Amino acid sequence: MPNASATGQLHRLLRDRRQGRPAGPVEILTRDELYDRFPASLADPPRRLTPFERDVIAQAAAREAAAALGTGASPVFQLRPGLVAEMLRFYDQLRRQGQQVARFEELLEDTLRREAEFDRGAERMLQQTRLLAGTFRAYERRVAESGSCDEHSLRDRLIAAASAAPVRGIVITVADWIADPGGLYSADFDLLTRLPGIETIDLVVTQGVLASGFHQRIRDWLPGMEEIDWDLPRRLQPMLSVPAAPPDRLWFTSRDREEELIGIARRFKADRREAHLDGLAAPTPDRFAVVYKRPLPYLYLADSALGGASIPYQTSDTLPLAAEPIAAALDLVLEFVASSFTRDALIALLRSPHFEFGHGAPMARRAVSVLDRALSDARYLGEIEALAQLEVAWEGDQRRREALTALSAAVRAAKELAPLRAAAPASVQIQCLLQFLEGHQVAVDLRPAGEPEVPADAGPPPPERRARTAIVETLAALAAANRAHDDPPVDIDGLAAIVRRWMEEQTFAPLRSTGTSGMHLVDEHAARYGDFDAIALVGLIAGEWPERPRRNIFYSPNLLSALGWPPEKDWRAAAEARFIDLLRSANQSVSISTITLDDEALVEPSPLLDEIPRAGLSSSARDAAPPGRIFVDEGLSLDPVALDALPADSRRWAEMRQTRSAAAAPMFHGQAGTVAARPWSVSAVETYLQCPFRFFAQHVLRLEEEPDDEEVMDPRQQGLFMHRVFEAFFNEWQQRGYQAIVPANLDQARQVFEQIVERSLAALSETEAALERTRLLGSSAAVGLGEAVLRMEVERRVGVVARLLEYRLDGEFTFDTPSGPRVIALRGKADRIDLLEDGTLRLIDYKLGWPPQRTRVLQLAIYSLCAEQRLRGYLGRTWTIGEAAYLAFKGPRRVVPLFAAADREKVFAEAQTRLVDAVDAISRGEFPPRPHDVYLCETCAYAAVCRTDYVDDV
């Protein structure tokens, strides 16, 4: 049989056909299961190597062969574990096609040696061939020395030894590997013809597959075989269901795979309704099959698309183990170690629901969140030593009590996993990882809240437990294979590569279907063995139907043809023949569908769609999406609302929801109700102008931003540091008796500024100090911000009476608006206010980045107006704003004025209007998610709580 799913379908078919009659002594096996069955028939059965053992032996053989080449002929590629796995796969293919290693090397050596003298590519390929051949020979020797056998050495023993319980007859229902991905190889056919004790071999194959080229190949392998044309009882051909529009299309087209399954569910439900109205027997799910080429993502989508329409379904296909949540949790452990225990990796591990750290249950989320913030405040960047020092420092600190609980758990986990950082034998590393997983697995089942615990004898364990068991068994087998055959040293990076590769290789049956009855989800190969009234072929896109054979990464098709690899036309002809057979296999009807988007990427229809007319089926047009409600949510989402299909509890909840306010109500679009008046900082009002919802999250809800781990200060901390440096400089400058900076004292100003900078840098780390020194003092590539400030001072001829540094502007201020004066309470702090001899004010705002757009900010303009009012009468004078400017570290200009003389009044008028409008909107509680630039959403710290779907609606 081609695969386990096909085996299940044949068992079902035979059970239905026997109708209670006893079954004979028949075993139904796949190719791999057949090789597992064969050793038991020998008097002294050898032990078969597991896939883990074969991989470990191949890895050792590859290293041995690479070393044998010598330093003068180094390997042409790095021997990564994944590459060695491909080498082993290539070796299997060679041997299955009857090729010996010596013959392989001889053929390619003769071909490549002639060209290697003149062609560097041929020379490298010749070197590759020698490495592969050396690896294959070392592998065969190591297998023989192990006392066990693989598939290839088992064939030799089966032919040479007499069988104690020989197989007398075998029925082959697959073609060769060229015509059928689950088929046999020439070495398999050779084994069956020479196997002692076997009496009959029956090969069952359709005329279409025979005509695709398999007929000639099987005649070469089994000369003299008897051919019998098997005339099946005549039956009607199935009807091909086609969409009513467009009329010339023989297949249905959906947007994506989910919509494809939903369309099948709608058409199936429509057929049942029509049969009921006509008084006919309604089609049953048990007699319907959805046929795919690959099980994913259809198995994931079935629960919502079929289960949501109350259509039971069943499947025997397996899913990748790597896609299970527990496998992702294992990845968290590996990342925790590989990242040197950084904050992000540590917090992710503690938050995982799959691990417990001393309490029998996952860590409390609040304790982890408190630790997250505390580690960010402590500037923790990783390393177990720093983590342990924090634990000691926080001991006894009542403020850190909650964070300390989570921190202690993290320290213990880090110490348990610390040995993985250093290179050690692979089995030791895997065992360390295994002990951590088993020691910290959650003792309780992961069930939805309120769901009762399932008794141990109530059937198969839940998918989470079975996935965890599969991972533990995989790691244990991998460790045992390394101990038995080769145990090279690996560090955490090597261990992670090995573990992740094997997780991706493994599959397991999640039992996510609704039971052992219902609509069948089967692959193309299993569908051939089922007895279905109707089938729906899905996902017919290029590259999937037909699926290309696995590409050989070592040699071109021309070189491989000498080793028995078939031309492309052979497998394509076989794929077309299987497709035609599949179209004719249903008893009553067949439908075909394709999609336009796969994972949000445009895809092309399958070329097999052009072969549909060859099946010679009659067609029947029908709606692609028949009307009618089949999903529970459609009872709520479509008018008029129908609640009859809902369970009683859900119906009561839905009835209550029907009484709620209309979706267009302001409360659903940012209206939070009146906000009590209070003094707002000017920077907060600027935030409101950037995005009202960001202001709401930050200043009303007071949500904290997610902290970032940086080796240096974040922009906010850098800004505070820069402000402290300039404040200290000007204080020092004035204490020394200076006021204005003029050409005569510019050098002294530079010296004082440099002294202040160096004094401030002493408190920073070496990395931070180097960056801030360059930023403030400059380098050979750019002028520092300090030099820009000093030059601006020199260029201004008016003397300075006084400087007000980090000057608070708190209180009530009057602003002119088109509707008259308004008094508004504000809070703010001006970076620097210079009082000049001519009675004017000069406001300076320091910016580490680019200067802001004048139409997007308020601070400089509003601070200027507030300063005029607050300083009225200061030093016995009336001061008016004369200049306001940004000193920016980035951009083409260091000094960027807020206004020119001609537009001074316009700038202040616009700023006052924006301020008053924003404060009024805040008071009304208007906080829609309406950024002035939608690209701000990409970096917003509050995206997780923002109703971004409303951005375009308001």
Side-chain angles (χ1 to χ4, degrees), residues 454-467:
V454 179
D457 58 350
E464 292 84 0
R465 191 185 301 169
R466 287 185 291 107

